Amino acid sequence: MENTMKLNPARKTKSLNRNFLMRNMGLIASYTFLIVMAIIIIYPILLTIMSAFNVSNTLYSTSFFPENFSFTENFKSLFNDTAYLSWYTNTFLLSIVTMVLSTVIVVVSGFVYSRYRYASRKSALMSLLIIQIVPSGSGLIALYAMASSIGIYSSENATLYTYIFMTLIYTALGTTMNTLLMKGYYDSIPRDLDESAKIDGATQLQIFTEILLPLVKPMIVVIAIFCFLGPIGDIIMPKFLIASMSSDSKTLAVGLMGLINDIKDSNYNVFAAGAVLAAIPPVLVFYKFQDYIVGGLTSGGVKG
Amino acid sequence: MSKISLRNIVKKYPNAEHCSVSDFNLDIEEGEFIVLVGPSGCGKSTTLRMIAGLEDITSGEFILDGEVVNNVSSKDRDIAMVFQSYALYPHMSVRENVGYGLKLRNYPAETTKKQVDEISKDLFLTQYLERKPKELSGGQRQRVALGRAMVRTPKLYLMDEPLSNLDAKLRTTTRSEISRMHRAKGAITIYVTHDQVEAMTMADRIVLMSMGEVQQIGSPKELFTNPKNCFVATFMGMPSMNLIEGSYKAGNFSCDSFTIAVSDTDKKILDDAGYDGKSLFLGARSSAIRSGKKYEEAFPNSCFETTAMNVEYLGDSVNVFFNAEPNNLFVGTLGTGEREVEVDEKVTLVLDNTKLHFFDSETEESIKYTINQVK
């Protein structure tokens, strides 16, 4: 027995090696997949960042590493030649107001859907689901007609009213799906907690604010971020609603789009610079709240 | 006047065919420890939740201190409750959990702190006061839940199966903890459990429920020695009471497996009640089944021979299972000093006929119940 083992050391090692490969096949496959995915995601981001520091005219001549490197050139022209700052403030004001409004509505309506039983509850929940079926783009013309018919465009403060109008629409868009998410999260908190607080002497309002709100905080953060990001990324609706307005009143997406819309007069590097700046707030938000986001989306709630 | 009265309490959920609780009546005196016990789905938790104000009372009256409080909200009923799941607030420390009820009732911070400290000392929680519930073990969480109820002095403590998530050893210690707290506080406690051992050991009075109806109310001893019907008889006691159907004639009870003579007292009762020549259920606790010469001489007319089908060794006693036709498995508990029985061994067993119960074969009501009650 010992002899046979000594006779074929090489063979034995080889088979061991093969076993090693075989055993870690799954791990190797998943790492390969993850690396490929990471490259697909990171490469365009890096390309954008790099071209933001490259002074040149076209995207096609841009190499990955800047040829005419300049820290500030593109950003200077962004602030001097376009209304970038006012796009920026427009967009983030719109986002923040939308975020606050939808989050407040979602937090309260999720609570009501989860904790109260009333006649129209089922049909209301059903309609929330049904609304999801209609693509939001299909209502654009109707929205424009609505805005026009209530006299937004003919008023003196057309820009302000348009933005208020958009805020309301984004708020409504932000509440449907998120209400269902929020309700699900409330549902995962055992009702025993409510009842226990009730017996401890808490009013309905105290149960809501002192017991449930702290427990749904991860979901509130997630939903607030969703609502915050919605208006920043959207281009179709603002383009529709503010098409006829002055450059000052555009949103980031629409304004930046304008930079690369015209084949003859596009400036891809300035566009890239604008995109990089626009990405900073969302990135910071994600970075700050990453624990909540992962926790809020994955955990099934809090079991005492 | 009793402290608490429940009058004709009925609970019927909308769309439900049957009542979850029907016609529940109970008067509770100051300082009593009441245990609601029954198999799952018997309506005991629903009753407790109605008392707590967490469920509406469909009809009937719940009277607390002479006032009907059916429509008073739970927070104004002055009660404390321990939940099966403990229901600790996960985002609060143990101290905040225990003190929350006091805080809501606007106790000054100092008093709250003092009372929380006192109760946690009592429950050995002092070193965990700053921890969150998820950092505690099951037994510790249980004690926090208990502390949260005990920190106040309400009119009424309610406990909904507080021990069912604990292991057997912890259950025994916490059981005596609860009894001790009850004696110290002296307030009425209503305790729900499905475990008849908990009911027997803790209760001043037991309310045994089944299918939403009260089967019997009485002290543990009453329920054990004088069960009102077959359900009570088989529910209380471990192992549960043996029941067998047979016929009674002229002082003898006979079934397919054996014929025994009933005691003179029982003979008189059965003859007076007109059961001569009729069929009835015989109930015998496993402790009434014995073996050995001493018993054979004492009860010469109630011996029978059978084959042991299974034997369970319990340390100081042995459970012997044997088949009693038509379809019952009988169990007898033989104590120390009695003969040792092997599986498949033929053995002569004796029924101690002074400890027998008889039930009507149709109504399943105990024939001796009213007579024993008068005694």
Side-chain angles (χ1 to χ4, degrees):
Chain A
M1 194 64 190
E2 258 176 44
N3 275 344
T4 46
M5 276 175 85
K6 270 179 191 163
L7 272 177
N8 292 318
R11 208 166 150 189
K12 201 183 160 202
T13 325
K14 206 173 157 191
S15 78
L16 269 179
N17 275 338
R18 204 181 53 215
N19 277 345
F20 177 79
L21 263 184
M22 292 296 279
R23 265 185 287 133
N24 295 297
M25 210 52 185
L27 211 58
I28 292 166
S30 31
Y31 268 106
T32 318
F33 179 73
L34 288 176
I35 290 168
V36 170
M37 286 306 286
I39 290 172
I40 291 174
I41 292 165
I42 291 170
Y43 180 73
I45 296 174
L46 278 180
L47 195 68
T48 309
I49 294 174
M50 290 301 185
S51 54
F53 297 108
N54 191 9
V55 188
S56 161
N57 279 340
T58 60
L59 192 63
Y60 310 110
S61 67
T62 308
S63 62
F64 187 79
F65 295 103
E67 286 160 354
N68 309 314
F69 182 83
S70 164
F71 240 129
T72 51
E73 200 55 42
N74 286 328
F75 296 97
K76 260 187 203 158
S77 70
L78 190 65
F79 284 100
N80 293 335
D81 306 342
T82 69
Y84 189 73
L85 204 63
S86 86
W87 302 343
Y88 213 83
T89 32
N90 287 346
T91 307
F92 285 108
L93 265 179
L94 174 64
S95 270
I96 289 168
V97 176
T98 304
M99 177 185 85
V100 171
L101 282 181
S102 354
T103 310
V104 169
I105 293 175
V106 165
V107 164
V108 176
S109 62
F111 170 70
V112 172
Y113 279 125
S114 166
R115 290 310 201 243
Y116 291 91
R117 297 288 177 268
Y118 47 92
S120 61
R121 178 176 173 272
K122 257 207 169 133
S123 40
L125 275 173
M126 210 45 162
S127 62
L128 280 183
L129 270 177
I130 291 170
I131 290 169
Q132 308 293 315
I133 299 172
V134 185
S136 56
S138 60
L140 281 176
I141 295 172
L143 288 179
Y144 187 85
M146 255 163 79
S148 174
S149 70
I150 54 175
I152 284 178
Y153 296 119
S154 53
S155 77
E156 276 173 33
N157 281 323
T159 313
L160 177 67
Y161 290 144
T162 312
Y163 271 86
I164 293 175
F165 185 67
M166 285 203 289
T167 310
L168 292 179
I169 293 167
Y170 281 126
T171 306
L173 286 178
T175 47
T176 46
M177 192 61 206
N178 291 334
T179 297
L180 292 175
L181 271 180
M182 198 73 215
K183 176 200 169 270
Y185 204 77
Y186 275 116
D187 283 346
S188 71
I189 297 171
R191 283 188 146 233
D192 280 3
L193 288 187
D194 303 38
E195 292 175 349
S196 176
K198 203 171 162 189
I199 286 172
D200 268 343
T203 60
Q204 282 297 321
L205 189 66
Q206 280 168 322
I207 294 175
F208 177 59
T209 55
E210 291 178 22
I211 305 295
L212 291 174
L213 272 192
L215 295 175
V216 295
K217 211 161 87 189
M219 203 53 176
I220 296 179
V221 172
V222 170
I223 282 170
I225 290 172
F226 282 173
C227 295
F228 178 72
L229 294 179
I232 296 180
D234 190 29
I235 183 157
I236 301 177
M237 192 174 81
K239 195 149 169 69
F240 227 86
L241 293 179
I242 53 178
S244 56
M245 292 182 188
S246 69
S247 174
D248 277 357
S249 44
K250 288 177 178 170
T251 66
L252 262 180
V254 175
L256 287 175
M257 187 73 182
L259 288 178
I260 52 166
N261 237 359
D262 195 343
I263 297 280
K264 279 178 234 154
D265 194 24
S266 311
N267 194 334
Y268 291 102
N269 300 102
V270 176
F271 168 80
V276 168
L277 282 188
I280 290 175
V283 168
L284 284 181
V285 166
F286 266 100
Y287 182 76
K288 181 92 181 34
F289 295 109
Q290 51 185 334
D291 291 348
Y292 278 115
I293 295 166
V294 176
L297 288 179
T298 52
S299 80
V302 251
K303 295 271 148 66
Chain B
M1 172 132 204
S2 354
K3 183 93 170 147
I4 293 176
S5 293
L6 295 144
R7 301 261 161 81
N8 310 98
I9 299 279
V10 173
K11 177 72 192 180
K12 193 164 188 281
Y13 285 102
N15 304 327
E17 242 176 76
H18 300 285
C19 295
S20 303
V21 175
S22 52
D23 202 20
F24 187 99
N25 283 292
L26 181 66
D27 287 319
I28 305 174
E29 302 300 330
E30 188 72 67
E32 263 193 304
F33 197 115
I34 299 288
V35 175
L36 301 181
V37 65
S40 56
C42 71
K44 56 191 189 301
S45 281
T46 312
T47 309
L48 191 79
R49 291 171 58 83
M50 282 192 283
I51 295 171
L54 299 172
E55 299 276 357
D56 291 330
I57 297 171
T58 312
S59 73
E61 283 181 333
F62 172 35
I63 301 164
L64 183 58
D65 266 349
E67 274 175 69
V68 177
V69 291
N70 283 24
N71 295 319
V72 175
S73 128
S74 348
K75 78 183 176 71
D76 301 321
R77 285 190 189 184
D78 197 15
I79 49 181
M81 184 161 172
V82 181
F83 289 80
Q84 183 177 8
S85 62
Y86 313 146
L88 303 178
Y89 312 125
H91 58 294
M92 296 187 190
S93 68
V94 170
R95 177 183 289 286
E96 289 165 321
N97 260 292
V98 176
Y100 189 61
L102 299 177
K103 195 185 120 197
L104 288 176
R105 285 177 167 76
N106 295 322
Y107 279 56
E110 258 174 57
T111 328
T112 307
K113 188 175 180 303
K114 210 180 116 212
Q115 272 177 269
V116 172
D117 283 340
E118 249 168 52
I119 202 82
S120 20
K121 206 175 143 200
D122 240 8
L123 289 166
F124 313 107
L125 286 169
T126 311
Q127 47 182 329
Y128 308 114
L129 274 176
E130 305 312 322
R131 290 206 199 167
K132 293 272 167 67
K134 65 167 182 246
E135 299 162 57
L136 301 176
S137 71
Q140 288 161 349
R141 286 180 203 182
Q142 216 294 326
R143 294 209 298 276
V144 176
L146 213 54
R148 196 169 59 178
M150 297 292 178
V151 75
R152 292 190 283 129
T153 25
K155 288 177 190 153
L156 185 56
Y157 289 107
L158 304 175
M159 306 199 180
D160 189 0
E161 308 206 19
L163 304 183
S164 56
N165 289 337
L166 300 180
D167 63 62
K169 199 175 163 197
L170 216 48
R171 208 176 293 178
T172 319
T173 48
T174 318
R175 206 165 67 197
S176 57
E177 195 76 355
I178 292 177
S179 295
R180 188 171 65 85
M181 296 293 259
H182 168 71
R183 277 195 301 274
K185 291 275 183 181
I188 294 174
T189 305
I190 302 178
Y191 185 105
V192 163
T193 179
H194 59 261
D195 182 357
Q196 53 95 15
V197 179
E198 274 173 34
M200 294 283 274
T201 47
M202 300 169 86
D204 290 326
R205 274 196 298 158
I206 295 176
V207 179
L208 179 53
M209 297 178 73
S210 166
M211 316 273 281
E213 282 174 28
V214 174
Q215 301 296 324
Q216 190 172 354
I217 302 176
S219 70
K221 195 180 170 193
E222 273 167 33
L223 260 70
F224 190 79
T225 54
N226 188 22
K228 196 177 168 197
N229 54 34
C230 288
F231 178 81
V232 181
T234 47
F235 193 87
M236 305 307 290
M238 191 71 212
S240 65
M241 185 190 276
N242 300 300
L243 279 182
I244 192 162
E245 193 169 8
S247 58
Y248 169 75
K249 189 145 185 68
N252 284 314
F253 174 85
S254 51
C255 62
D256 292 0
S257 302
F258 52 77
T259 300
I260 56 151
V262 304
S263 68
D264 293 342
T265 0
D266 287 348
K267 181 178 183 307
K268 190 170 180 307
I269 294 168
L270 289 174
D271 287 343
D272 287 354
Y275 279 93
D276 195 27
K278 284 192 182 162
S279 76
L280 45 74
F281 279 111
L282 168 76
R285 296 220 177 264
S286 65
S287 56
I289 297 174
R290 327 265 13 165
S291 76
K293 224 179 190 132
K294 192 175 89 186
Y295 290 102
E296 280 172 37
E297 279 165 10
F299 306 102
N301 296 324
S302 55
C303 303
F304 59 99
E305 199 169 66
T306 187
T307 313
M309 290 175 62
N310 190 24
V311 177
E312 286 178 349
Y313 179 69
L314 296 174
D316 49 7
S317 64
V318 176
N319 282 345
V320 180
F321 291 84
F322 55 92
N323 205 357
E325 297 296 335
N327 48 14
N328 305 54
L329 197 60
F330 248 56
V331 54
T333 307
L334 306 184
T336 39
E338 295 182 62
R339 60 168 299 182
E340 284 183 15
V341 181
E342 306 268 329
V343 177
D344 288 338
E345 190 186 338
K346 280 221 170 218
V347 58
T348 303
L349 295 174
V350 186
L351 262 176
D352 180 347
N353 65 11
T354 58
K355 292 178 181 167
L356 297 182
H357 300 265
F358 297 97
F359 302 94
D360 189 291
S361 60
E362 266 165 32
T363 61
E364 301 198 346
E365 296 287 321
S366 170
I367 297 164
K368 288 159 73 176
Y369 177 68
T370 33
I371 296 155
N372 282 347
Q373 243 189 348
V374 173
K375 268 199 278 179

